[in-house]
Amino acid sequence: MRPGAVTVAAVRSAALLLGLAGFGGTLWYGLDEPGNALAFGTLIALGELARWGAPLHMGAPSVLGELRGSEPAPLAAAGALAYALLGTSAGTATTHGVLQTVAVVVAAGLAGIVPHIARGRGPGLDQLARRVLTVGFAALCFQPLYNSGAVTEHLGQGPAYALFLVLLLVLTALCDAVLAALTLRARTGFPYGPLLRDELRALLGIGSAVCATGTVMALGVAAAGLWALPVLAVPLLLTQVSFRRYAAVRTVNRQTIASLARATEIAGCTPPGHARRVAALSAAVGRELGLSGTELTVLEHAALMHDIGQLSLVDPVAGGATALLPPEEQRRIALLGGEVVRRTGVPEAVAVVVERQADPYREQPPAARIVRAVNAYDDLAGDGAGAALGALERLRLGTARDYHPDVVECLARVLARGGGAGVTPAVPG
């Protein structure tokens, strides 16, 4: 078994064992405070039912979004964290403990995702495993300390207690980010550092709203009782609606870019699938080089539209292979492409990458270096490992001026692992 598969299996197995322990412990010892369990379980189930299909990592390229398979359920996450950090309800101490917390969260979560699974849109197993492990982590950090009296003895119920809950939620969010980056690293082979950085950036968005709502819910129920739950859920629901609209706009923008990229194929300027292959492989190389989520988005969009300048040509390029053209002609097509991209309303950063893809690599931004090398590889590589190796060798011979050596070597490593999201043939390194 591959090391990556072992890591994923270990995370899922740990979550499964924790879930089974939660159910077993709850069945053995009985359900404490059924009213609290029902209220929080209902909130979590409703939050899962309100789950939508837009990826939480809005800055990540679509290829990684597909690999993550993450469909945010912020209300369910906030409710689960609040139950894990619930010490009192309307002034009465709770005793539900770690195992019951895990059991309620798992049962309610499964109840909420059944309709999504029936429609074939359920969350991935990695995401479910992370939910179980992070909630278990939060409950394990809080419940034993609170039930022993150590928290109230040293912190009381004032600002220090609230700060303690915030600190636990920050640690829980970091735990979730580490697990998310670890499982994605195992599945893709991308460097761990940039993946973790993207996960931490995501915490500054709706992740911070989830943590804040979880803290306020725990404090609100402690002071006022369960009626505070629906009131405190409203702000996060409004945030979720706004975020969903923003995600819809981003989705429409990307669909527009993909449609423009297909225009070159429909017009017969480029081979079928060329833009998609270049975009997927460019994203993989960019991730290997440590580009951030925003940079990867610009890179993927530029890669999708890198050949759009060919639509302005009177005489089409044979086979659409711009890598075989003289440098002056490559430059002219790139400049035409940049002008076309600007007229579409796509961000300026994308147009800059498109128009500078034919420059000498010492004068190019990193994204343009990647697009140029990957486009040349796809233009030169044919069917079979021999043609792919020949294309890679031609890129290595061109590292004096045309192709950045680091980009070419990263491309070789990505290809050796199987290519970009499975769309490019693998070749030996």
Coordinates of all heavy atoms in Angstrom, one line a residue, residues 191-263:
P191 N 3.3 19.3 -2.0 CA 4.1 19.7 -0.8 C 3.1 20.0 0.3 O 2.1 20.7 0.2 CB 4.9 20.9 -1.2 CG 5.0 20.7 -2.7 CD 3.8 20.1 -3.2
Y192 N 3.5 19.6 1.5 CA 2.6 19.8 2.7 C 2.5 21.3 3.1 O 1.4 21.7 3.5 CB 3.1 19.0 3.9 CG 2.3 19.1 5.1 CD1 1.1 18.4 5.2 CD2 2.7 19.8 6.2 CE1 0.3 18.5 6.3 CE2 1.9 19.9 7.3 CZ 0.7 19.2 7.4 OH -0.1 19.4 8.5
G193 N 3.6 22.0 3.1 CA 3.7 23.4 3.5 C 2.6 24.3 2.9 O 1.8 24.9 3.5
P194 N 2.6 24.4 1.5 CA 1.6 25.2 0.8 C 0.2 24.7 1.1 O -0.7 25.6 1.2 CB 2.0 25.1 -0.6 CG 3.4 24.7 -0.6 CD 3.6 23.9 0.6
L195 N 0.0 23.4 1.2 CA -1.4 22.9 1.5 C -1.8 23.4 2.9 O -3.0 23.9 3.1 CB -1.4 21.4 1.5 CG -1.2 20.8 0.1 CD1 -1.1 19.2 0.2 CD2 -2.4 21.1 -0.8
L196 N -0.9 23.3 3.9 CA -1.3 23.8 5.2 C -1.5 25.3 5.2 O -2.4 25.8 5.9 CB -0.2 23.4 6.2 CG -0.4 23.8 7.7 CD1 -1.7 23.2 8.2 CD2 0.8 23.4 8.5
R197 N -0.7 26.0 4.5 CA -0.9 27.4 4.4 C -2.3 27.8 3.8 O -2.9 28.7 4.3 CB 0.2 28.0 3.5 CG 0.2 29.6 3.5 CD 1.4 30.0 2.7 NE 1.3 29.5 1.3 CZ 2.4 29.4 0.5 NH1 3.6 29.7 1.0 NH2 2.3 29.0 -0.7
D198 N -2.7 27.1 2.8 CA -4.0 27.4 2.2 C -5.1 27.0 3.2 O -6.1 27.8 3.3 CB -4.2 26.5 1.0 CG -3.5 27.1 -0.2 OD1 -3.0 28.3 -0.1 OD2 -3.4 26.5 -1.2
E199 N -5.0 25.9 4.0 CA -6.0 25.6 5.0 C -6.0 26.7 6.1 O -7.1 27.0 6.6 CB -5.7 24.2 5.6 CG -5.7 23.1 4.6 CD -7.1 22.8 4.1 OE1 -8.1 23.2 4.7 OE2 -7.2 22.3 3.0
L200 N -4.9 27.2 6.5 CA -4.9 28.2 7.5 C -5.5 29.5 7.0 O -6.2 30.2 7.8 CB -3.4 28.5 8.0 CG -2.8 27.3 8.7 CD1 -1.3 27.6 9.1 CD2 -3.5 27.0 10.0
R201 N -5.3 29.8 5.7 CA -5.9 31.0 5.2 C -7.4 30.9 5.2 O -8.1 31.8 5.4 CB -5.4 31.2 3.7 CG -4.0 31.9 3.6 CD -3.8 32.5 2.2 NE -2.5 33.1 2.1 CZ -1.5 32.5 1.5 NH1 -1.7 31.3 0.9 NH2 -0.3 33.1 1.4
A202 N -7.9 29.6 4.9 CA -9.3 29.4 4.9 C -10.0 29.7 6.3 O -11.1 30.1 6.4 CB -9.7 28.0 4.5
L203 N -9.2 29.5 7.3 CA -9.7 29.8 8.7 C -10.0 31.3 8.9 O -10.9 31.6 9.7 CB -8.7 29.4 9.7 CG -8.3 27.9 9.8 CD1 -7.3 27.6 10.9 CD2 -9.6 27.1 10.1
L204 N -9.4 32.1 8.1 CA -9.7 33.6 8.2 C -11.0 34.0 7.6 O -11.5 35.1 7.9 CB -8.5 34.4 7.6 CG -7.1 34.1 8.2 CD1 -6.1 34.9 7.4 CD2 -7.1 34.5 9.7
G205 N -11.6 33.1 6.8 CA -12.8 33.4 6.1 C -14.0 32.9 7.0 O -14.2 33.3 8.2
I206 N -14.8 32.0 6.4 CA -16.0 31.5 7.1 C -15.6 30.7 8.3 O -16.3 30.5 9.3 CB -16.9 30.8 6.2 CG1 -18.3 30.7 6.8 CG2 -16.4 29.4 5.9 CD1 -19.4 30.3 5.8
G207 N -14.3 30.2 8.3 CA -13.9 29.4 9.5 C -13.9 30.2 10.7 O -14.2 29.7 11.8
S208 N -13.5 31.4 10.7 CA -13.5 32.3 11.9 C -14.9 32.5 12.3 O -15.2 32.6 13.6 CB -12.8 33.6 11.6 OG -13.4 34.3 10.5
A209 N -15.9 32.6 11.4 CA -17.3 32.8 11.8 C -17.8 31.6 12.5 O -18.6 31.6 13.4 CB -18.1 33.1 10.5
V210 N -17.4 30.4 12.0 CA -17.8 29.1 12.7 C -17.3 29.1 14.1 O -18.0 28.7 15.0 CB -17.3 27.9 11.8 CG1 -17.5 26.6 12.6 CG2 -18.0 27.8 10.5
C211 N -16.0 29.4 14.3 CA -15.4 29.4 15.6 C -16.1 30.4 16.5 O -16.4 30.1 17.7 CB -13.9 29.6 15.6 SG -12.9 28.3 14.8
A212 N -16.3 31.6 16.1 CA -16.9 32.6 16.9 C -18.4 32.2 17.3 O -18.8 32.4 18.4 CB -17.0 33.9 16.1
T213 N -19.1 31.6 16.3 CA -20.5 31.2 16.6 C -20.5 30.1 17.6 O -21.3 30.0 18.5 CB -21.2 30.8 15.3 OG1 -21.1 31.9 14.4 CG2 -22.6 30.5 15.6
G214 N -19.6 29.1 17.4 CA -19.5 28.0 18.4 C -19.2 28.5 19.8 O -19.9 28.0 20.8
T215 N -18.3 29.5 20.0 CA -18.1 30.0 21.3 C -19.3 30.7 21.9 O -19.7 30.5 23.0 CB -16.9 31.0 21.2 OG1 -15.8 30.4 20.7 CG2 -16.6 31.6 22.6
V216 N -19.9 31.6 21.0 CA -21.1 32.3 21.5 C -22.2 31.4 21.9 O -23.0 31.6 22.8 CB -21.5 33.4 20.4 CG1 -22.8 34.0 20.8 CG2 -20.4 34.4 20.3
M217 N -22.4 30.3 21.1 CA -23.5 29.4 21.4 C -23.3 28.7 22.7 O -24.2 28.6 23.5 CB -23.6 28.3 20.3 CG -24.3 28.7 19.0 SD -24.4 27.4 17.8 CE -25.4 28.1 16.6
A218 N -22.0 28.3 23.0 CA -21.7 27.6 24.2 C -22.0 28.5 25.4 O -22.5 28.1 26.4 CB -20.3 27.1 24.2
L219 N -21.5 29.8 25.3 CA -21.7 30.8 26.3 C -23.2 31.2 26.5 O -23.7 31.3 27.6 CB -20.9 32.0 26.1 CG -19.4 31.8 26.1 CD1 -18.7 33.1 25.7 CD2 -18.9 31.4 27.5
G220 N -23.9 31.3 25.3 CA -25.3 31.7 25.4 C -26.2 30.6 26.0 O -27.0 30.9 26.9
V221 N -26.0 29.4 25.7 CA -26.7 28.3 26.3 C -26.4 28.2 27.8 O -27.3 27.9 28.6 CB -26.5 27.0 25.5 CG1 -27.1 25.8 26.3 CG2 -27.0 27.0 24.1
A222 N -25.1 28.4 28.1 CA -24.8 28.3 29.5 C -25.5 29.3 30.4 O -25.9 29.1 31.5 CB -23.2 28.5 29.6
A223 N -25.7 30.5 29.8 CA -26.4 31.6 30.5 C -27.9 31.6 30.4 O -28.6 31.8 31.4 CB -25.8 32.9 30.1
A224 N -28.4 31.3 29.2 CA -29.8 31.5 29.0 C -30.6 30.2 28.7 O -31.8 30.3 28.6 CB -30.0 32.5 27.8
G225 N -29.9 29.1 28.4 CA -30.6 27.9 28.1 C -30.7 27.6 26.6 O -30.2 28.4 25.8
L226 N -31.4 26.6 26.2 CA -31.4 26.1 24.9 C -32.1 27.1 23.9 O -31.9 27.0 22.7 CB -32.1 24.7 24.8 CG -31.3 23.6 25.5 CD1 -32.1 22.3 25.5 CD2 -30.0 23.4 24.8
W227 N -33.0 28.0 24.4 CA -33.7 28.8 23.5 C -32.7 29.8 22.8 O -33.1 30.4 21.7 CB -34.8 29.7 24.2 CG -34.2 30.7 25.2 CD1 -33.9 30.6 26.5 CD2 -33.8 32.0 24.8 NE1 -33.4 31.7 27.0 CE2 -33.3 32.7 26.0 CE3 -33.8 32.8 23.6 CZ2 -32.8 34.0 26.0 CZ3 -33.4 34.1 23.7 CH2 -32.9 34.7 24.8
A228 N -31.5 29.9 23.3 CA -30.5 30.8 22.7 C -30.0 30.2 21.4 O -29.5 31.0 20.5 CB -29.4 31.1 23.6
L229 N -30.1 28.9 21.2 CA -29.5 28.3 20.0 C -30.1 28.8 18.7 O -29.3 29.3 17.8 CB -29.7 26.8 20.0 CG -28.8 26.0 20.9 CD1 -29.1 24.5 20.8 CD2 -27.3 26.2 20.4
P230 N -31.4 28.9 18.5 CA -31.9 29.4 17.2 C -31.6 30.9 17.0 O -31.4 31.3 15.8 CB -33.4 29.2 17.3 CG -33.7 29.0 18.7 CD -32.5 28.4 19.3
V231 N -31.6 31.6 18.1 CA -31.3 33.1 17.9 C -29.8 33.3 17.5 O -29.5 34.1 16.6 CB -31.5 33.8 19.3 CG1 -31.1 35.3 19.2 CG2 -33.0 33.7 19.6
L232 N -28.9 32.5 18.1 CA -27.5 32.7 17.8 C -27.1 32.0 16.4 O -26.1 32.3 15.9 CB -26.7 32.0 18.9 CG -26.8 32.7 20.3 CD1 -26.1 31.9 21.3 CD2 -26.3 34.1 20.2
A233 N -28.0 31.2 15.9 CA -27.7 30.5 14.6 C -28.0 31.5 13.5 O -27.5 31.3 12.4 CB -28.5 29.3 14.5
V234 N -28.8 32.5 13.7 CA -29.2 33.4 12.6 C -28.1 34.1 11.9 O -28.0 34.1 10.7 CB -30.3 34.4 13.1 CG1 -30.6 35.5 12.0 CG2 -31.6 33.6 13.4
P235 N -27.2 34.7 12.7 CA -26.0 35.4 12.0 C -25.2 34.5 11.1 O -24.8 34.9 10.0 CB -25.2 36.0 13.2 CG -26.2 36.1 14.3 CD -27.1 34.9 14.1
L236 N -25.0 33.3 11.6 CA -24.2 32.4 10.7 C -24.9 32.0 9.5 O -24.4 31.8 8.4 CB -23.7 31.2 11.5 CG -22.8 30.2 10.8 CD1 -21.5 31.0 10.5 CD2 -22.4 29.0 11.7
L237 N -26.3 31.8 9.6 CA -27.1 31.5 8.5 C -27.0 32.6 7.4 O -26.9 32.4 6.2 CB -28.5 31.2 8.9 CG -28.8 29.9 9.5 CD1 -30.3 29.8 10.0 CD2 -28.6 28.7 8.5
L238 N -27.1 33.9 7.9 CA -27.0 35.0 7.0 C -25.6 35.0 6.3 O -25.5 35.3 5.1 CB -27.3 36.3 7.7 CG -28.7 36.5 8.3 CD1 -28.8 37.8 9.1 CD2 -29.7 36.4 7.2
T239 N -24.6 34.8 7.1 CA -23.2 34.7 6.5 C -23.1 33.6 5.5 O -22.5 33.8 4.4 CB -22.2 34.5 7.6 OG1 -22.3 35.5 8.6 CG2 -20.8 34.4 7.1
Q240 N -23.8 32.5 5.8 CA -23.7 31.3 4.8 C -24.4 31.7 3.5 O -23.9 31.4 2.4 CB -24.4 30.1 5.5 CG -24.5 28.9 4.6 CD -25.1 27.7 5.3 OE1 -25.0 27.6 6.5 NE2 -25.6 26.8 4.6
V241 N -25.6 32.4 3.6 CA -26.3 32.8 2.4 C -25.4 33.8 1.6 O -25.3 33.6 0.3 CB -27.6 33.5 2.8 CG1 -28.3 34.1 1.5 CG2 -28.6 32.5 3.4
S242 N -24.8 34.7 2.2 CA -23.9 35.7 1.5 C -22.7 35.0 0.9 O -22.4 35.2 -0.3 CB -23.4 36.8 2.5 OG -24.5 37.5 3.0
F243 N -22.1 34.0 1.6 CA -21.0 33.3 1.1 C -21.4 32.4 -0.1 O -20.7 32.3 -1.1 CB -20.4 32.4 2.2 CG -19.0 31.9 1.9 CD1 -17.9 32.7 2.1 CD2 -18.9 30.6 1.4 CE1 -16.7 32.2 1.8 CE2 -17.6 30.1 1.1 CZ -16.5 30.9 1.3
R244 N -22.6 31.9 0.0 CA -23.1 31.0 -1.1 C -23.3 31.9 -2.4 O -23.0 31.4 -3.5 CB -24.4 30.4 -0.7 CG -24.9 29.4 -1.7 CD -26.1 28.7 -1.2 NE -26.5 27.6 -2.1 CZ -27.6 26.8 -1.9 NH1 -28.2 26.9 -0.7 NH2 -27.9 25.8 -2.7
R245 N -23.8 33.1 -2.2 CA -23.9 34.0 -3.4 C -22.6 34.3 -4.0 O -22.4 34.3 -5.2 CB -24.7 35.2 -3.0 CG -26.2 35.0 -2.7 CD -26.9 36.3 -2.3 NE -28.3 36.0 -2.0 CZ -29.1 36.9 -1.5 NH1 -28.7 38.1 -1.2 NH2 -30.4 36.6 -1.3
Y246 N -21.6 34.6 -3.1 CA -20.3 34.9 -3.6 C -19.7 33.7 -4.3 O -19.1 33.8 -5.4 CB -19.4 35.3 -2.4 CG -17.9 35.4 -2.7 CD1 -17.5 36.5 -3.5 CD2 -17.0 34.5 -2.2 CE1 -16.2 36.6 -3.8 CE2 -15.6 34.7 -2.5 CZ -15.2 35.7 -3.3 OH -13.9 35.9 -3.6
A247 N -19.9 32.5 -3.8 CA -19.4 31.3 -4.4 C -20.1 31.1 -5.8 O -19.4 30.6 -6.7 CB -19.7 30.1 -3.5
A248 N -21.4 31.4 -5.9 CA -22.1 31.3 -7.2 C -21.5 32.2 -8.2 O -21.3 31.8 -9.4 CB -23.6 31.6 -7.0
V249 N -21.1 33.4 -7.8 CA -20.5 34.4 -8.7 C -19.2 33.8 -9.2 O -18.8 33.9 -10.4 CB -20.3 35.8 -8.1 CG1 -19.5 36.7 -8.9 CG2 -21.7 36.4 -7.8
R250 N -18.4 33.3 -8.3 CA -17.1 32.7 -8.6 C -17.3 31.6 -9.6 O -16.5 31.4 -10.5 CB -16.3 32.3 -7.4 CG -15.9 33.4 -6.5 CD -14.7 34.2 -7.1 NE -13.6 33.3 -7.3 CZ -12.6 33.2 -6.4 NH1 -12.6 33.8 -5.3 NH2 -11.6 32.4 -6.7
T251 N -18.3 30.7 -9.4 CA -18.5 29.6 -10.2 C -18.9 30.1 -11.6 O -18.4 29.5 -12.6 CB -19.7 28.7 -9.7 OG1 -19.3 28.3 -8.4 CG2 -19.9 27.5 -10.6
V252 N -19.8 31.1 -11.7 CA -20.1 31.6 -13.0 C -18.9 32.2 -13.8 O -18.7 32.0 -15.0 CB -21.2 32.7 -12.9 CG1 -21.5 33.4 -14.2 CG2 -22.5 32.0 -12.4
N253 N -18.1 32.9 -13.0 CA -16.9 33.4 -13.6 C -16.0 32.3 -14.2 O -15.4 32.5 -15.3 CB -16.1 34.3 -12.6 CG -16.7 35.6 -12.3 OD1 -17.6 36.1 -13.1 ND2 -16.4 36.2 -11.2
R254 N -15.8 31.3 -13.5 CA -15.0 30.2 -14.0 C -15.6 29.5 -15.1 O -14.9 29.1 -16.1 CB -14.7 29.2 -12.8 CG -13.6 28.2 -13.3 CD -13.3 27.2 -12.3 NE -12.2 26.4 -12.8 CZ -12.3 25.5 -13.8 NH1 -13.4 25.2 -14.3 NH2 -11.2 24.8 -14.2
Q255 N -16.9 29.3 -15.1 CA -17.6 28.7 -16.3 C -17.4 29.6 -17.5 O -17.3 29.0 -18.6 CB -19.1 28.5 -15.9 CG -19.3 27.4 -14.9 CD -20.7 27.3 -14.5 OE1 -21.5 28.3 -14.7 NE2 -21.1 26.3 -13.8
T256 N -17.5 30.9 -17.3 CA -17.2 31.8 -18.5 C -15.8 31.6 -19.0 O -15.6 31.6 -20.2 CB -17.4 33.3 -18.0 OG1 -18.8 33.4 -17.5 CG2 -17.2 34.2 -19.2
I257 N -14.8 31.5 -18.1 CA -13.5 31.3 -18.6 C -13.3 30.0 -19.3 O -12.7 29.9 -20.3 CB -12.5 31.4 -17.4 CG1 -12.5 32.9 -16.8 CG2 -11.1 31.0 -17.7 CD1 -11.8 33.0 -15.5
A258 N -13.9 29.0 -18.7 CA -13.8 27.7 -19.4 C -14.5 27.7 -20.8 O -14.0 27.0 -21.7 CB -14.5 26.6 -18.5
S259 N -15.6 28.4 -20.9 CA -16.3 28.5 -22.2 C -15.4 29.2 -23.2 O -15.3 28.8 -24.4 CB -17.6 29.2 -22.0 OG -18.5 28.5 -21.2
L260 N -14.8 30.3 -22.8 CA -13.8 31.0 -23.6 C -12.7 30.2 -24.1 O -12.2 30.2 -25.2 CB -13.3 32.3 -23.0 CG -14.4 33.4 -22.8 CD1 -13.8 34.5 -21.8 CD2 -14.8 34.0 -24.1
A261 N -12.2 29.4 -23.1 CA -11.1 28.5 -23.4 C -11.5 27.4 -24.5 O -10.7 27.1 -25.4 CB -10.6 27.8 -22.2
R262 N -12.7 26.9 -24.4 CA -13.2 25.9 -25.4 C -13.4 26.5 -26.7 O -13.5 25.8 -27.7 CB -14.5 25.3 -24.9 CG -14.2 24.3 -23.8 CD -15.5 23.4 -23.5 NE -16.6 24.2 -23.1 CZ -16.9 24.4 -21.8 NH1 -16.1 23.9 -20.9 NH2 -18.0 25.1 -21.5
A263 N -13.5 27.9 -26.8 CA -13.7 28.5 -28.1 C -12.6 28.2 -29.1 O -12.8 28.1 -30.3 CB -13.9 30.0 -27.9

